[in-house]
Amino acid sequence: MKTRLRTLTVAAVVALSTVSLQGLPQASAATDTFAFGVSAGGTRISAVGTTVTSDLTAESSLIGRSPASTSNQVASVRVGTLAQVGAVNTDAAAVSSGNGFATTAHARTANISLLNGAIKASAVDTTSKAESKSDVTPTASNHTEFVGLTIAGKKYPVNVPANTGVTIPGLAQVTLNASSIEIDGETVVGQGAGLYVTLLKAFNGVAAGAVIVLNPTYAVVVPTTDQDGGLQLGGGGQGAYAYAHVGDEVEAETGQIGRKTMPPRGTNGQTLSNTTAKVNVQGLLTAKAIESTVNGTSVPALSEATATSTITELRLFPSLLSSGVITATAIGSKSHVRVDDGTPVTEGSLQFINLKIAGKAIPVDVAPNTTLHVAGLGKVVINEQKEIRAPGFGHAFRVIALHITLDTARAGLPVGAEIELGHSYAVAFG
């Protein structure tokens, strides 16, 4: 499976972050011996040479040295005729296990139709686990269960052997219950996927070689090592997130769309991106594309993290009578943290083209944390910025291009629901 699933090495506990969207995590009991990384998503699609890309949808991810858990969900995913998926639910968790960790990444997708119906399933459920602690042999596992799976009209059972290959003649190569396990000393990696599909020829304008991954899951536990110099980094960006939480209950939530997170040791100065094309959340928003990027450097004299998130052709609450209550040709944010020889610098900015709110053009020099009250919509904060400095623990900066709190129920969201657009945050720990 190494030719089909990228091996997740110690240096590639990437696209994971412990930083909550509310700022730095709280200090808690932790182990200094092991660290973990966990990630799960509903779909990942890559069509080389085209604009058809859709990185981890409904991503749940964690990395750190303290027990933690997280979850995410979206109502549906659609990428042309390549993939139509109903509800996606993911979760990731790490619990203490002796002086190490036991990690779990889980993804469940429903009502799946891939390649215009050539592959169908009522539900696909994938779990990856990895556990490592001192003096005990590390373990890992990956497993997928299928409900109502058919490929080219042939039915498949709930359980199939790992890495079962199926060919749809002249169309695609499929791997079911994809699984890769790597153990090296005390380092353990479990990497799975429910379905791994590669096009054998062009399909509806998408070139051969395009890849669809359903339920990609990763679970990693590694021994920690002393790092000379550079700080651990965190943060990331996401294009859109709408939610309504009442106490501990989720009343409504879109999931975090177009998310990209910073690897803990940076990116060696290279920019990593997540581009999601043609976003359409029925009645809530449409966008031509969402792109989030991270760039990080962590060396003895310098620790630097930069994150961005940009939305093009934004339409919020579009209708037959209006292109949207809020529209923009492009809008996004940038967050930056730099610690140079112990001296921290934190900053952020808003960028936009043709931003209009309730028909009113917003000036390009709008001040940070500008608040508008829009009749029939609610409170809109433009260029929301927050700096967090916790000497000895970390420094962070966050920018949300637009942060809306509804005072009127809209698109299935109740009064009090919040919508975040163009969210970026950058962190340097220590």
Side-chain angles (χ1 to χ4, degrees), residues 186-234:
E186 293 181 323
T187 295
V188 57
V189 181
Q191 182 171 348
L195 292 164
Y196 193 97
V197 183
T198 304
L199 286 183
L200 298 176
K201 70 173 186 179
F203 176 80
N204 289 358
V206 179
V211 174
I212 305 169
V213 185
L214 188 76
N215 291 8
T217 53
Y218 311 89
V220 184
V221 183
V222 299
T224 58
T225 56
D226 292 331
Q227 300 287 345
D228 295 328
L231 302 176
Q232 179 171 310
L233 304 179

Side-chain angles (χ1 to χ4, degrees), residues 120-260:
K120 294 182 178 181
S122 298
V124 177
D125 194 291
T126 304
T127 301
S128 288
K129 295 183 177 182
E131 181 175 8
S132 187
K133 53 187 176 182
S134 296
D135 303 323
V136 176
T137 301
T139 60
S141 64
N142 306 292
H143 182 67
T144 295
E145 293 186 351
F146 301 96
V147 178
L149 174 64
T150 62
I151 300 177
K154 181 180 177 180
K155 296 180 180 180
Y156 288 82
V158 171
N159 294 295
V160 301
N163 302 319
T164 295
V166 177
T167 299
I168 305 176
L171 180 58
Q173 180 65 41
V174 183
T175 299
L176 305 179
N177 190 15
S179 176
S180 176
I181 295 173
E182 301 286 338
I183 298 177
D184 183 6
E186 293 181 323
T187 295
V188 57
V189 181
Q191 182 171 348
L195 292 164
Y196 193 97
V197 183
T198 304
L199 286 183
L200 298 176
K201 70 173 186 179
F203 176 80
N204 289 358
V206 179
V211 174
I212 305 169
V213 185
L214 188 76
N215 291 8
T217 53
Y218 311 89
V220 184
V221 183
V222 299
T224 58
T225 56
D226 292 331
Q227 300 287 345
D228 295 328
L231 302 176
Q232 179 171 310
L233 304 179
Q238 62 188 40
Y241 182 39
Y243 54 95
H245 296 175
V246 180
D248 293 332
E249 295 184 358
V250 177
E251 188 169 341
E253 189 171 77
T254 62
Q256 296 154 0
I257 303 171
R259 183 177 175 185
K260 188 67 179 178

Side-chain angles (χ1 to χ4, degrees), residues 242-286:
Y243 54 95
H245 296 175
V246 180
D248 293 332
E249 295 184 358
V250 177
E251 188 169 341
E253 189 171 77
T254 62
Q256 296 154 0
I257 303 171
R259 183 177 175 185
K260 188 67 179 178
T261 48
M262 177 74 73
R265 301 302 300 175
T267 67
N268 293 320
Q270 302 298 309
T271 297
L272 305 181
S273 64
N274 174 354
T275 302
T276 301
K278 296 182 179 178
V279 176
N280 184 357
V281 180
Q282 187 66 35
L284 175 61
L285 69 86
T286 64

Side-chain angles (χ1 to χ4, degrees), residues 315-339:
R315 303 289 182 265
L316 186 69
F317 297 119
S319 68
L320 294 176
L321 301 178
S322 170
S323 58
V325 179
I326 297 178
T327 62
T329 303
I331 188 167
S333 70
K334 178 180 179 180
S335 295
H336 177 234
V337 173
R338 178 185 177 98
V339 181

Side-chain angles (χ1 to χ4, degrees), residues 310-315 327-332 351-355:
T310 303
I311 310 171
T312 57
E313 301 298 341
L314 169 69
R315 303 289 182 265
T327 62
T329 303
I331 188 167
Q351 307 86 36
F352 63 82
I353 301 172
N354 298 328
L355 172 62

